Amino acid sequence: MKVIAIANQKGGVAKTTTTHNLGAALAAAGKKVLLVDLDSQASLTISVGLEPLEAERTIVDVLRKDGEPIRECIQRISDRLHIVSSIIDLAPMEMELLSRASREKILDRALKPVRGEYDYILIDCPPQLSILTINALSCADGVVIPVKTDYLAYRGLTQLQDSIQEIQELINPELRVLGVIATLYDTRVSDDREILALLKEEYNLLGVVKRLAVAKKGLYDGRAAVEQAPESQIAQEYMAIAKMLIDGKERREELYHE
Ligand SMILES: Nc1ncnc2c1ncn2[C@@H]1O[C@H](COP(=O)(O)OP(=O)(O)OP(=O)(O)O)[C@@H](O)[C@H]1O
Ligand SMILES: [Mg+2]
């Protein structure tokens, strides 16, 4: 399980926070990790402490026709944590992608030369089932789905599952759904508790991440919760999920959210 897409077409469900924290947790555990920011909002790029407009080369250079080799577009965050950053220009780029041959395999082809150099490649998807998300799902071995514990986010999972199934049937039969991570969970809200119960019943629940201020604290200095508050529930949960990935397990024995 090397290439993992973090996907959900619903906005604001903690895809980017999950990608950053899992990446930092895997790197802290000694793994070499490449993050790919596939969202024109460039939230992941900003979260790791980079300025989107300052990057010499970004994901746009990787994806465009006759693009640059991906190796030239990778930036180093730390020894074991690297990133292909994003930029607002990725939005118009999507239109161009649509007119290309094998448009859903462009990222797959671009990643090939560096696949062997990383233990994990984590792709932060945009909040749409766009050609970019399809590219991520077409080259991923697994998909992790962060989902907010509210009713509409829960209902949105059906649409996502349909798209994933279609991609499995048409493009990438190797793609596996690893499971969902319940995010922004507030124990005090009864709706949150009800939705969490449904998620537990119906999906493989990889973790439960509480809504806590510490998730945002490190953003200004580019550090994930797992780096700046390793004792926090958020960090513990993401570290437990990272450990599961490393151990090749996909079932959590205990969840830390009570
Ligand atoms: N566990 C948490 N506790 C509190 N705030 C959180 C938590 N996880 C994420 N957030 C905050 O929630 C907001 C949305 O998170 P994030 O950007 O990771 O979601 P996203 O799914 O990537 O959004 P988008 O769909 O826009 O890409 C951000 O402001 C983030 O800092
Ligand atoms: Mg995001």
Side-chain angles (χ1 to χ4, degrees):
M1 191 60 55
K2 170 168 287 192
V3 182
I4 300 174
I6 320 296
N8 192 334
Q9 81 283 8
K10 189 112 179 70
V13 296
K15 293 179 288 294
T16 301
T17 307
T18 298
T19 310
H20 189 196
N21 277 282
L22 285 182
L26 288 166
K31 301 294 174 187
K32 198 162 173 208
V33 182
L34 176 66
L35 304 175
V36 179
D37 189 347
L38 210 55
D39 186 355
S40 60
Q41 300 177 92
S43 305
L44 181 63
T45 304
I46 297 165
S47 299
V48 302
L50 296 174
E51 271 309 316
L53 295 173
E54 283 173 10
E56 220 168 282
R57 295 203 176 100
T58 67
I59 188 71
V60 171
D61 301 288
V62 173
L63 296 177
R64 75 176 144 71
K65 200 161 170 41
D66 306 315
E68 299 290 335
I70 190 159
R71 212 183 297 278
E72 313 287 319
C73 305
I74 293 173
Q75 290 175 268
R76 184 180 166 283
I77 303 162
S78 64
D79 271 356
R80 288 190 296 269
L81 192 61
H82 298 177
I83 188 171
V84 179
S85 68
S86 185
I87 189 165
I88 188 72
D89 303 6
L90 183 58
M93 167 90 205
E94 271 198 75
M95 297 306 279
E96 191 204 308
L97 278 182
L98 288 173
S99 66
R100 304 254 299 273
S102 294
R103 53 184 171 251
E104 65 285 333
K105 294 297 257 179
I106 292 166
L107 181 63
D108 187 47
R109 185 180 63 179
L111 282 176
K112 275 211 173 92
V114 295
R115 262 186 182 245
E117 291 170 26
Y118 292 93
D119 297 306
Y120 292 94
I121 299 178
L122 304 183
I123 308 172
D124 184 23
C125 293
Q128 298 98 24
L129 286 168
S130 63
I131 188 66
L132 291 169
T133 301
I134 293 171
N135 262 273
L137 295 173
S138 300
C139 70
D141 306 308
V143 52
V144 166
I145 306 170
V147 58
K148 219 165 117 176
T149 45
D150 75 28
Y151 185 63
L152 294 177
Y154 163 74
R155 289 294 300 265
L157 286 177
T158 324
Q159 196 193 354
L160 179 59
Q161 280 180 307
D162 287 348
S163 305
I164 291 173
Q165 196 182 339
E166 199 170 28
I167 288 167
Q168 286 166 328
E169 285 165 12
L170 295 174
I171 310 170
N172 182 7
E174 308 298 322
L175 176 66
R176 295 205 5 239
V177 178
L178 298 176
V180 307
I181 302 177
T183 59
L184 292 148
Y185 176 64
D186 190 338
T187 339
R188 296 162 302 181
V189 180
S190 68
D191 190 39
D192 282 37
R193 293 198 302 270
E194 277 164 35
I195 299 300
L196 181 61
L198 287 173
L199 290 174
K200 265 186 191 162
E201 219 173 276
E202 296 169 20
Y203 296 93
N204 181 33
L205 193 60
L206 301 172
V208 182
V209 181
K210 282 190 191 169
R211 181 192 290 269
L212 294 172
V214 70
K216 300 185 183 215
K217 235 179 101 200
L219 286 181
Y220 301 97
D221 55 2
R223 290 195 309 156
V226 301
E227 295 163 306
Q228 46 98 16
E231 299 305 320
S232 65
Q233 191 270 349
I234 293 183
Q236 295 287 319
E237 199 62 10
Y238 281 123
M239 287 193 275
I241 298 167
K243 184 169 185 311
M244 266 170 58
L245 294 175
I246 293 170
D247 295 345
K249 273 205 233 152
E250 279 150 37
R251 289 237 160 243
R252 273 296 284 286
E253 270 120 43
E254 53 174 337
L255 296 159
Y256 316 120
H257 64 275
E258 303 309 341

